[in-house]
Amino acid sequence: MSNILAGLFEHHNDYKKLEVDLESSGFENSDYIIYLNNETNNSQYLASVSVKDNGQTESARNIFSQNGVLKAYLFENMGTGELNYDTIKKYIDARSRAEIHNSPDIKIKTSSDGMNSEVKF
């Protein structure tokens, strides 16, 4: 069974260029799916690529990076029969919720001197 590399892209990125880059890199038309949302023009789009080994995974990651991927997710032991928008989106949502996000910087104020001999009771 193969692995699936899925990537989330901004709406202004050209998905046709992504297709050309994937095919020129050796991926077949049947190895990838690009999911477009036609309801709104400003929505993000999703692409998934079936990869068989680490070399293909790195190649697909590089192509995603060149095309402005926001976030990429690797799903292991997932077949191409499971590739549909709802399934991929469900897995991405679950992974996003499970990630530990960076917390904002916390400043702890401490006193510099504390009590000294000038304090009178």
Side-chain angles (χ1 to χ4, degrees):
M1 191 171 271
S2 63
N3 300 329
I4 302 297
L5 182 68
L8 183 64
F9 297 84
E10 279 289 341
H11 70 279
H12 58 78
N13 292 333
D14 186 12
Y15 71 90
K16 290 290 188 186
K17 181 180 179 313
L18 177 63
E19 288 178 347
V20 169
D21 290 348
L22 285 170
E23 288 182 10
S24 66
S25 180
F27 291 100
E28 299 292 325
N29 190 22
S30 60
D31 290 336
Y32 66 89
I33 299 174
I34 296 179
Y35 308 92
L36 300 174
N37 186 357
N38 292 331
E39 294 174 7
T40 60
N41 293 336
N42 294 331
S43 64
Q44 299 169 335
Y45 69 91
L46 181 67
S48 61
V49 180
S50 176
V51 292
K52 295 176 181 73
D53 57 23
N54 289 340
Q56 281 190 336
T57 303
E58 285 307 310
S59 176
R61 278 189 195 275
N62 290 336
I63 292 168
F64 280 10
S65 294
Q66 293 169 2
N67 285 280
V69 70
L70 296 173
K71 185 81 172 173
Y73 302 89
L74 181 64
F75 301 105
E76 297 179 349
N77 298 324
M78 187 178 201
T80 55
E82 300 174 67
L83 287 179
N84 64 52
Y85 180 77
D86 293 328
T87 303
I88 295 289
K89 186 168 179 340
K90 181 178 71 172
Y91 286 137
I92 288 174
D93 288 343
R95 283 251 180 109
S96 293
R97 284 192 301 271
E99 286 181 357
I100 298 173
H101 298 283
N102 292 335
S103 62
D105 291 336
I106 298 173
K107 295 181 182 180
I108 300 173
K109 183 169 173 110
T110 59
S111 63
S112 57
D113 294 328
M115 292 179 69
N116 59 21
S117 62
E118 295 180 16
V119 176
K120 296 183 181 180
F121 292 98

